[in-house]
Amino acid sequence: MGKEIHTLTDAGATLDPSPAELMARRPYLTADPVCGLVLEDVPLNAIADAEGTPVWVMSAGVLRERARRLLAAVKDSGLPLSVHFAVKSNDHLAVLRILALEGLGADVVSGGEFARACRAGISPRRVIFSGVGKTDSELDAALMAGVAQINVESAEELEILSSRASNLGCSAGVALRVNPDVDAGTHEKITTGLAGNKFGIPYAEALALYRRAYELPGIKPLGFATHIGSQISSPVPFRQAYARIASLVRDARAAGLPVEIVDCGGGLGVSYRDETECSPDAFVGAIRRELGDLDVQLAMEPGRWISAPAGMLLSSVILRKSVTGGAPFIVIDAAMNDLARPSLYDAWHGLLPLAPHLLHADIEPAHLVGPVCESGDSFGRNRLLPHLSRGDRIALLDCGAYGSVMSSTYNARPFAAQVLVDGNRWSVIRPRQKVEELWTTEQMPEWLMPEPASEAG
Ligand code: LLP
C-alpha cells in the first residue's frame, strides 16, 4: 500500500489551516472588506454572479509566475534543459497558449493532447510524446507532423514504431523510458517508477533494447527518459532515479552507442495543505548533480507544479444538513464529477469562503460533500470551516492540475464553466455545458424511434 496523498481529517478536525494561513501562502489571493476573496485583481464573487457555480477559475498570472520561476532555476543552473509542460494536468488551449508564450514545450500522452498542443501554437518540434500504449493512428499523426521525440515504453512498441515510421518513410526520434525501480514515496495510484508498475522498460533490459534501436529502420535513438511519479516532495527519489539513468548513459556510451538526450520527467510536488513543495531549484539541482556532467541535452515534463496553484473551483452551498449529535453535512453544488481527486486519492484541497465576513469568522467542523449519489462524493469529513449556510460560496484551492481535465458528466451533471483571470480582466474560456448538450451526440437506434403520429381520425 502506498500512502495517501493528503490524508483527510477523519479522526479529528485539527489539521485544516485557517483561512489566514491558506491566504498567507497564496499571495495572488487577497481579502477585500467589501468584495471578499479576490484573485489577482478580480473579485471571485463577480465571476460567480455572472457565470453561476460550479465554475473553474484559472489565473494567467500564477501560470506565468510559476513558468518563470522554473525557467529561472533552469537558467541559473546553466544546464541545457528544456521544459515541456505535461498537458495532461491541464489541457485548455488558453492555458497551453500562455505557457507556450513563456517558452515552454509540451509533453503529451495521446493523439488528442498532441493535437491540442499544436492547436495552441506549440511546434511539434517542441513536443515529447509519452505514454505506455500509443495507437497506430496516434503514432502516424505525430510522425507526419514531425514530433521531436517519442518516448518508447516497451520492446513491442519499439518494433511497432519502427514499422510505422518506415512505412511513412520517416525517422522517429526515440528515447527509451526506463523504469528505474525507485520508490517515489507518493500515493500508490500515482507512483510510476517501481518495478511492477506498467510504465517503462525494466532497467536491466534497457541497454539491450537501446542497442536494438540502433539496428531498426525508421528509428533514430536519442537517449533515455524516466518519470517516477507525481506529487513528490523530496529531491531524494529524483536523485536516485537520475543516478541510475546516468550509469545507463555511461554503459551505453562504453558499448559504442551514442546518447544525446536525457528526459527527466515531471512529478514536482506542491503544497496543498502543509506538504513541502519541491522547489525548482531542488529539482534542477538533482538533475545537475546526477546528470550535469554527461554532456547531454536535458528535458523535464512538469505539470502539477505549474498548473495546480493557478486554478480553483468555485461552488455554492445548496443546503446545510443537520445531524443530531454530529457535525453537519454541507452539501455544495460541485461534486466528484467536477473535481475527482478527493474521491480518487483522498486528496485534500484547501477551502476559502468568498464572502468578506466569512473569511474572518469562527470555524467549526463540518463534512463537505457533493450531491452525487456515492458516499465517495466527499471533499472531506470534519473540515474546519466557517459556519456555511445555503447560498454561501466557497473556493476549493489548487485545482488547476488534474481538475477540470478529469471531470465527467456522471449523474448527468453538465461540465462546469471555465474562466480565465488575467490582472483585472477575466473571460469565459469554456461556457457551462447546457443540459441538452449532454445528449446531442447520442443517437437513437431506428427501431426505438417512435412511430410517426397517425393521421387517422
Ligand atoms: N510525465 C509523465 C510521463 C507523466 O506520466 C506525468 C504524470 C507527468 C510527466 C507530469 O507529472 P506532474 O509533474 O504533474 O506530477 N491525476 C493524478 C496525477 C497523475 C499523474 C500522471 N502522470 C492526481 O490528480 O494527483
Side-chain angles (χ1 to χ4, degrees):
M1 275 289 284
K3 63 182 178 193
E4 290 174 350
I5 302 182
H6 324 285
T7 316
L8 293 175
T9 56
D10 207 347
T14 52
L15 294 176
D16 267 296
S18 68
E21 286 168 323
L22 287 170
M23 290 185 62
R25 284 196 267 125
R26 293 164 181 81
Y28 41 90
L29 289 173
T30 48
D32 181 276
V34 180
C35 317
L37 195 63
V38 176
L39 172 63
E40 298 195 42
D41 298 321
V42 176
L44 291 168
N45 269 318
I47 294 173
D49 285 345
E51 298 305 320
T53 55
V55 56
W56 302 95
V57 183
M58 286 300 290
S59 156
V62 177
L63 283 172
R64 289 191 195 103
E65 197 258 333
R66 305 287 286 186
R68 287 174 193 175
R69 268 171 64 192
L70 258 184
L71 291 170
V74 169
K75 194 166 171 225
D76 288 350
S77 75
L79 291 170
L81 172 56
S82 57
V83 181
H84 300 258
F85 176 63
V87 172
K88 65 172 77 67
S89 72
N90 192 315
D91 65 11
H92 194 287
L93 293 178
V95 169
L96 301 182
R97 174 66 61 90
I98 289 166
L99 297 176
L101 290 172
E102 293 300 316
L104 269 53
D107 162 60
V108 304
V109 290
S110 70
E113 285 189 0
F114 182 70
R116 275 186 174 275
C118 296
R119 176 90 190 147
I122 299 174
S123 159
R125 298 303 312 157
R126 309 217 47 212
V127 175
I128 296 173
F129 196 168
S130 308
V132 73
K134 311 169 193 78
T135 65
D136 289 355
S137 60
E138 287 176 324
L139 287 174
D140 289 357
L143 287 169
M144 285 190 294
V147 68
Q149 174 184 327
I150 298 182
N151 288 354
V152 164
E153 299 223 10
S154 60
E156 292 79 358
E157 184 177 41
L158 188 63
E159 304 289 330
I160 294 168
L161 180 58
S162 167
S163 86
R164 301 310 299 180
S166 305
N167 285 347
L168 293 170
C170 61
S171 170
V174 164
L176 296 189
R177 174 167 173 188
V178 178
N179 183 328
D181 194 16
V182 164
D183 185 358
T186 189
H187 189 279
E188 62 178 325
K189 287 189 185 162
I190 55 171
T191 195
T192 55
L194 276 174
N197 291 139
K198 70 177 174 180
F199 298 100
I201 293 150
Y203 187 82
E205 296 165 24
L207 185 55
L209 196 61
Y210 197 58
R211 184 177 290 114
R212 171 83 182 135
Y214 271 98
E215 296 160 7
L216 286 172
I219 298 289
K220 179 175 177 357
L222 298 174
F224 300 101
T226 195
H227 171 80
I228 55 173
S230 200
Q231 183 56 11
I232 300 168
S233 301
S234 158
V236 174
F238 291 123
R239 281 224 306 269
Q240 290 168 345
Y242 302 152
R244 301 212 77 194
I245 300 297
S247 67
L248 193 55
V249 171
R250 293 193 183 95
D251 290 350
R253 286 176 171 168
L257 306 170
V259 178
E260 289 168 39
I261 65 119
V262 171
D263 175 353
C264 302
L268 295 78
V270 299
S271 180
Y272 287 97
R273 185 167 60 197
D274 51 11
E275 308 90 323
T276 311
E277 179 162 297
C278 178
S279 76
D281 284 334
F283 183 72
V284 173
I287 295 174
R288 189 184 41 214
R289 195 174 151 142
E290 305 299 339
L291 300 161
D293 60 356
L294 283 181
D295 189 25
V296 283
Q297 174 62 41
L298 296 157
M300 64 192 280
E301 306 167 351
R304 183 194 314 267
W305 193 90
I306 296 171
S307 54
M312 57 186 60
L313 176 61
L314 308 186
S315 181
S316 305
V317 176
I318 299 176
L319 57 86
R320 181 187 173 88
K321 177 175 174 177
S322 310
V323 176
T324 314
F329 287 97
I330 309 293
V331 187
I332 59 174
D333 63 1
M336 64 189 285
N337 73 294
D338 302 301
L339 178 64
R341 303 192 69 255
S343 57
L344 275 179
Y345 323 111
D346 290 335
W348 187 97
H349 284 264
L351 193 155
L352 287 171
L354 264 48
H357 69 280
L358 289 176
L359 277 163
H360 305 289
D362 289 343
I363 45 182
E364 61 187 26
H367 308 315
L368 189 73
V369 300
V372 160
C373 296
E374 302 232 9
S375 297
D377 183 25
S378 167
F379 297 104
R381 295 179 66 78
N382 288 312
R383 298 289 303 253
L384 284 178
L385 309 172
H387 185 92
L388 293 172
S389 312
R390 175 172 166 75
D392 285 336
R393 291 169 178 157
I394 56 168
L396 287 152
L397 305 177
D398 307 318
C399 295
Y402 308 108
S404 57
V405 278
M406 291 176 68
S407 295
S408 75
T409 56
Y410 184 42
N411 277 204
R413 292 171 46 87
F415 287 123
Q418 290 185 40
V419 161
L420 182 73
V421 166
D422 195 353
N424 61 6
R425 293 175 297 188
W426 66 272
S427 179
V428 175
I429 55 171
R430 188 172 77 178
R432 183 177 309 287
Q433 191 181 31
K434 296 188 177 69
V435 168
E436 312 82 76
E437 287 169 348
L438 289 171
W439 54 79
T440 45
T441 51
E442 292 178 16
Q443 298 186 35
M444 192 69 79
E446 217 174 86
W447 66 88
L448 291 178
M449 299 288 232
E451 289 289 312
S454 158
E455 283 175 19

mmCIF file of all heavy atoms in Angstrom, residues 129-158:
data_model
loop_
_atom_site.group_PDB
_atom_site.id
_atom_site.type_symbol
_atom_site.label_atom_id
_atom_site.label_comp_id
_atom_site.label_asym_id
_atom_site.label_seq_id
_atom_site.Cartn_x
_atom_site.Cartn_y
_atom_site.Cartn_z
ATOM 1 N N PHE A 129 6.277 12.909 -26.940
ATOM 2 C CA PHE A 129 5.088 12.044 -26.916
ATOM 3 C C PHE A 129 5.396 10.853 -26.008
ATOM 4 O O PHE A 129 6.172 9.973 -26.354
ATOM 5 C CB PHE A 129 4.769 11.583 -28.346
ATOM 6 C CG PHE A 129 3.376 11.014 -28.528
ATOM 7 C CD1 PHE A 129 2.875 10.803 -29.811
ATOM 8 C CD2 PHE A 129 2.555 10.692 -27.453
ATOM 9 C CE1 PHE A 129 1.592 10.283 -30.011
ATOM 10 C CE2 PHE A 129 1.283 10.178 -27.630
ATOM 11 C CZ PHE A 129 0.809 9.969 -28.921
ATOM 12 N N SER A 130 4.782 10.863 -24.811
ATOM 13 C CA SER A 130 4.975 9.784 -23.841
ATOM 14 C C SER A 130 3.747 8.878 -23.841
ATOM 15 O O SER A 130 2.756 9.162 -24.518
ATOM 16 C CB SER A 130 5.141 10.366 -22.429
ATOM 17 O OG SER A 130 6.134 11.350 -22.377
ATOM 18 N N GLY A 131 3.783 7.832 -23.028
ATOM 19 C CA GLY A 131 2.588 7.001 -22.852
ATOM 20 C C GLY A 131 2.874 5.539 -23.111
ATOM 21 O O GLY A 131 3.658 5.189 -23.995
ATOM 22 N N VAL A 132 2.187 4.702 -22.360
ATOM 23 C CA VAL A 132 2.503 3.273 -22.360
ATOM 24 C C VAL A 132 1.879 2.533 -23.547
ATOM 25 O O VAL A 132 2.307 1.449 -23.917
ATOM 26 C CB VAL A 132 2.082 2.656 -20.994
ATOM 27 C CG1 VAL A 132 0.577 2.527 -20.865
ATOM 28 C CG2 VAL A 132 2.750 1.342 -20.737
ATOM 29 N N GLY A 133 0.890 3.144 -24.195
ATOM 30 C CA GLY A 133 0.263 2.491 -25.346
ATOM 31 C C GLY A 133 -0.231 3.521 -26.333
ATOM 32 O O GLY A 133 -1.278 4.138 -26.119
ATOM 33 N N LYS A 134 0.527 3.743 -27.387
ATOM 34 C CA LYS A 134 0.097 4.724 -28.406
ATOM 35 C C LYS A 134 -0.437 3.943 -29.599
ATOM 36 O O LYS A 134 0.196 2.981 -30.051
ATOM 37 C CB LYS A 134 1.284 5.605 -28.818
ATOM 38 C CG LYS A 134 2.048 6.194 -27.625
ATOM 39 C CD LYS A 134 3.359 6.819 -28.061
ATOM 40 C CE LYS A 134 4.281 7.127 -26.905
ATOM 41 N NZ LYS A 134 5.005 5.952 -26.347
ATOM 42 N N THR A 135 -1.576 4.351 -30.104
ATOM 43 C CA THR A 135 -2.159 3.603 -31.228
ATOM 44 C C THR A 135 -1.419 3.929 -32.517
ATOM 45 O O THR A 135 -0.717 4.938 -32.620
ATOM 46 C CB THR A 135 -3.646 3.958 -31.416
ATOM 47 O OG1 THR A 135 -3.730 5.335 -31.805
ATOM 48 C CG2 THR A 135 -4.448 3.746 -30.134
ATOM 49 N N ASP A 136 -1.642 3.086 -33.536
ATOM 50 C CA ASP A 136 -1.003 3.323 -34.836
ATOM 51 C C ASP A 136 -1.355 4.706 -35.355
ATOM 52 O O ASP A 136 -0.495 5.424 -35.867
ATOM 53 C CB ASP A 136 -1.471 2.265 -35.850
ATOM 54 C CG ASP A 136 -0.892 0.886 -35.531
ATOM 55 O OD1 ASP A 136 -0.070 0.787 -34.595
ATOM 56 O OD2 ASP A 136 -1.281 -0.084 -36.217
ATOM 57 N N SER A 137 -2.627 5.067 -35.257
ATOM 58 C CA SER A 137 -3.011 6.363 -35.841
ATOM 59 C C SER A 137 -2.404 7.518 -35.049
ATOM 60 O O SER A 137 -2.028 8.545 -35.617
ATOM 61 C CB SER A 137 -4.531 6.497 -35.971
ATOM 62 O OG SER A 137 -5.117 6.397 -34.707
ATOM 63 N N GLU A 138 -2.271 7.345 -33.733
ATOM 64 C CA GLU A 138 -1.622 8.403 -32.940
ATOM 65 C C GLU A 138 -0.145 8.527 -33.328
ATOM 66 O O GLU A 138 0.375 9.643 -33.486
ATOM 67 C CB GLU A 138 -1.737 8.084 -31.438
ATOM 68 C CG GLU A 138 -3.133 8.284 -30.880
ATOM 69 C CD GLU A 138 -3.260 7.873 -29.419
ATOM 70 O OE1 GLU A 138 -2.615 6.878 -29.005
ATOM 71 O OE2 GLU A 138 -3.998 8.529 -28.686
ATOM 72 N N LEU A 139 0.524 7.385 -33.491
ATOM 73 C CA LEU A 139 1.943 7.428 -33.879
ATOM 74 C C LEU A 139 2.093 8.056 -35.261
ATOM 75 O O LEU A 139 2.960 8.918 -35.479
ATOM 76 C CB LEU A 139 2.532 6.007 -33.885
ATOM 77 C CG LEU A 139 2.762 5.373 -32.510
ATOM 78 C CD1 LEU A 139 3.200 3.913 -32.660
ATOM 79 C CD2 LEU A 139 3.808 6.147 -31.717
ATOM 80 N N ASP A 140 1.232 7.640 -36.195
ATOM 81 C CA ASP A 140 1.344 8.160 -37.569
ATOM 82 C C ASP A 140 1.157 9.673 -37.594
ATOM 83 O O ASP A 140 1.914 10.391 -38.252
ATOM 84 C CB ASP A 140 0.294 7.504 -38.477
ATOM 85 C CG ASP A 140 0.621 6.042 -38.750
ATOM 86 O OD1 ASP A 140 1.685 5.580 -38.280
ATOM 87 O OD2 ASP A 140 -0.176 5.375 -39.424
ATOM 88 N N ALA A 141 0.145 10.151 -36.858
ATOM 89 C CA ALA A 141 -0.130 11.597 -36.872
ATOM 90 C C ALA A 141 1.059 12.361 -36.303
ATOM 91 O O ALA A 141 1.471 13.397 -36.851
ATOM 92 C CB ALA A 141 -1.391 11.899 -36.065
ATOM 93 N N ALA A 142 1.635 11.854 -35.220
ATOM 94 C CA ALA A 142 2.769 12.552 -34.600
ATOM 95 C C ALA A 142 3.984 12.519 -35.528
ATOM 96 O O ALA A 142 4.691 13.517 -35.684
ATOM 97 C CB ALA A 142 3.089 11.913 -33.250
ATOM 98 N N LEU A 143 4.215 11.368 -36.161
ATOM 99 C CA LEU A 143 5.368 11.254 -37.064
ATOM 100 C C LEU A 143 5.217 12.188 -38.259
ATOM 101 O O LEU A 143 6.167 12.872 -38.652
ATOM 102 C CB LEU A 143 5.513 9.805 -37.545
ATOM 103 C CG LEU A 143 6.031 8.806 -36.509
ATOM 104 C CD1 LEU A 143 5.867 7.373 -37.010
ATOM 105 C CD2 LEU A 143 7.491 9.092 -36.166
ATOM 106 N N MET A 144 4.014 12.206 -38.813
ATOM 107 C CA MET A 144 3.809 13.041 -40.007
ATOM 108 C C MET A 144 3.933 14.530 -39.680
ATOM 109 O O MET A 144 4.348 15.319 -40.519
ATOM 110 C CB MET A 144 2.461 12.727 -40.653
ATOM 111 C CG MET A 144 2.520 11.405 -41.401
ATOM 112 S SD MET A 144 1.098 11.071 -42.420
ATOM 113 C CE MET A 144 -0.194 10.903 -41.243
ATOM 114 N N ALA A 145 3.591 14.877 -38.438
ATOM 115 C CA ALA A 145 3.703 16.290 -38.050
ATOM 116 C C ALA A 145 5.144 16.651 -37.659
ATOM 117 O O ALA A 145 5.448 17.822 -37.466
ATOM 118 C CB ALA A 145 2.766 16.578 -36.871
ATOM 119 N N GLY A 146 5.993 15.644 -37.525
ATOM 120 C CA GLY A 146 7.389 15.923 -37.179
ATOM 121 C C GLY A 146 7.636 16.082 -35.692
ATOM 122 O O GLY A 146 8.430 16.933 -35.284
ATOM 123 N N VAL A 147 6.978 15.259 -34.884
ATOM 124 C CA VAL A 147 7.170 15.324 -33.423
ATOM 125 C C VAL A 147 8.658 15.153 -33.075
ATOM 126 O O VAL A 147 9.375 14.382 -33.726
ATOM 127 C CB VAL A 147 6.295 14.246 -32.730
ATOM 128 C CG1 VAL A 147 6.782 12.837 -33.044
ATOM 129 C CG2 VAL A 147 6.245 14.460 -31.230
ATOM 130 N N ALA A 148 9.101 15.901 -32.061
ATOM 131 C CA ALA A 148 10.528 15.911 -31.734
ATOM 132 C C ALA A 148 11.000 14.569 -31.201
ATOM 133 O O ALA A 148 12.059 14.072 -31.575
ATOM 134 C CB ALA A 148 10.808 17.001 -30.701
ATOM 135 N N GLN A 149 10.200 13.989 -30.303
ATOM 136 C CA GLN A 149 10.699 12.828 -29.545
ATOM 137 C C GLN A 149 9.530 11.949 -29.146
ATOM 138 O O GLN A 149 8.517 12.444 -28.656
ATOM 139 C CB GLN A 149 11.418 13.363 -28.302
ATOM 140 C CG GLN A 149 11.890 12.330 -27.313
ATOM 141 C CD GLN A 149 12.510 12.995 -26.078
ATOM 142 O OE1 GLN A 149 13.122 14.055 -26.176
ATOM 143 N NE2 GLN A 149 12.335 12.392 -24.926
ATOM 144 N N ILE A 150 9.698 10.649 -29.352
ATOM 145 C CA ILE A 150 8.702 9.694 -28.867
ATOM 146 C C ILE A 150 9.363 8.853 -27.784
ATOM 147 O O ILE A 150 10.426 8.266 -28.007
ATOM 148 C CB ILE A 150 8.177 8.814 -30.025
ATOM 149 C CG1 ILE A 150 7.484 9.704 -31.074
ATOM 150 C CG2 ILE A 150 7.230 7.739 -29.490
ATOM 151 C CD1 ILE A 150 6.886 8.962 -32.246
ATOM 152 N N ASN A 151 8.747 8.848 -26.604
ATOM 153 C CA ASN A 151 9.282 8.042 -25.507
ATOM 154 C C ASN A 151 8.680 6.647 -25.598
ATOM 155 O O ASN A 151 7.477 6.468 -25.410
ATOM 156 C CB ASN A 151 8.965 8.690 -24.157
ATOM 157 C CG ASN A 151 9.793 9.935 -23.925
ATOM 158 O OD1 ASN A 151 10.683 10.264 -24.720
ATOM 159 N ND2 ASN A 151 9.520 10.643 -22.842
ATOM 160 N N VAL A 152 9.519 5.682 -25.900
ATOM 161 C CA VAL A 152 9.073 4.308 -26.119
ATOM 162 C C VAL A 152 9.136 3.552 -24.795
ATOM 163 O O VAL A 152 10.108 3.660 -24.054
ATOM 164 C CB VAL A 152 9.962 3.648 -27.197
ATOM 165 C CG1 VAL A 152 9.804 2.142 -27.198
ATOM 166 C CG2 VAL A 152 9.633 4.222 -28.568
ATOM 167 N N GLU A 153 8.064 2.788 -24.518
ATOM 168 C CA GLU A 153 7.942 2.169 -23.192
ATOM 169 C C GLU A 153 8.088 0.657 -23.198
ATOM 170 O O GLU A 153 7.932 0.026 -22.152
ATOM 171 C CB GLU A 153 6.590 2.559 -22.577
ATOM 172 C CG GLU A 153 6.440 4.054 -22.381
ATOM 173 C CD GLU A 153 5.828 4.429 -21.040
ATOM 174 O OE1 GLU A 153 5.678 3.554 -20.170
ATOM 175 O OE2 GLU A 153 5.498 5.610 -20.886
ATOM 176 N N SER A 154 8.327 0.051 -24.359
ATOM 177 C CA SER A 154 8.473 -1.415 -24.369
ATOM 178 C C SER A 154 9.164 -1.842 -25.661
ATOM 179 O O SER A 154 9.185 -1.097 -26.653
ATOM 180 C CB SER A 154 7.094 -2.098 -24.293
ATOM 181 O OG SER A 154 6.304 -1.718 -25.398
ATOM 182 N N ALA A 155 9.691 -3.081 -25.623
ATOM 183 C CA ALA A 155 10.312 -3.647 -26.821
ATOM 184 C C ALA A 155 9.277 -3.745 -27.938
ATOM 185 O O ALA A 155 9.559 -3.475 -29.108
ATOM 186 C CB ALA A 155 10.864 -5.034 -26.485
ATOM 187 N N GLU A 156 8.052 -4.111 -27.548
ATOM 188 C CA GLU A 156 6.997 -4.277 -28.542
ATOM 189 C C GLU A 156 6.710 -2.946 -29.240
ATOM 190 O O GLU A 156 6.560 -2.883 -30.468
ATOM 191 C CB GLU A 156 5.713 -4.795 -27.864
ATOM 192 C CG GLU A 156 5.792 -6.217 -27.324
ATOM 193 C CD GLU A 156 6.513 -6.348 -25.972
ATOM 194 O OE1 GLU A 156 7.002 -5.331 -25.449
ATOM 195 O OE2 GLU A 156 6.595 -7.480 -25.465
ATOM 196 N N GLU A 157 6.644 -1.886 -28.444
ATOM 197 C CA GLU A 157 6.337 -0.579 -29.036
ATOM 198 C C GLU A 157 7.458 -0.123 -29.963
ATOM 199 O O GLU A 157 7.203 0.515 -30.989
ATOM 200 C CB GLU A 157 6.113 0.470 -27.934
ATOM 201 C CG GLU A 157 5.703 1.813 -28.507
ATOM 202 C CD GLU A 157 5.398 2.877 -27.463
ATOM 203 O OE1 GLU A 157 6.121 2.968 -26.463
ATOM 204 O OE2 GLU A 157 4.430 3.620 -27.679
ATOM 205 N N LEU A 158 8.694 -0.467 -29.635
ATOM 206 C CA LEU A 158 9.820 -0.063 -30.479
ATOM 207 C C LEU A 158 9.693 -0.695 -31.873
ATOM 208 O O LEU A 158 9.910 -0.030 -32.892
ATOM 209 C CB LEU A 158 11.138 -0.486 -29.811
ATOM 210 C CG LEU A 158 12.410 0.018 -30.461
ATOM 211 C CD1 LEU A 158 12.488 1.547 -30.417
ATOM 212 C CD2 LEU A 158 13.647 -0.580 -29.782
#
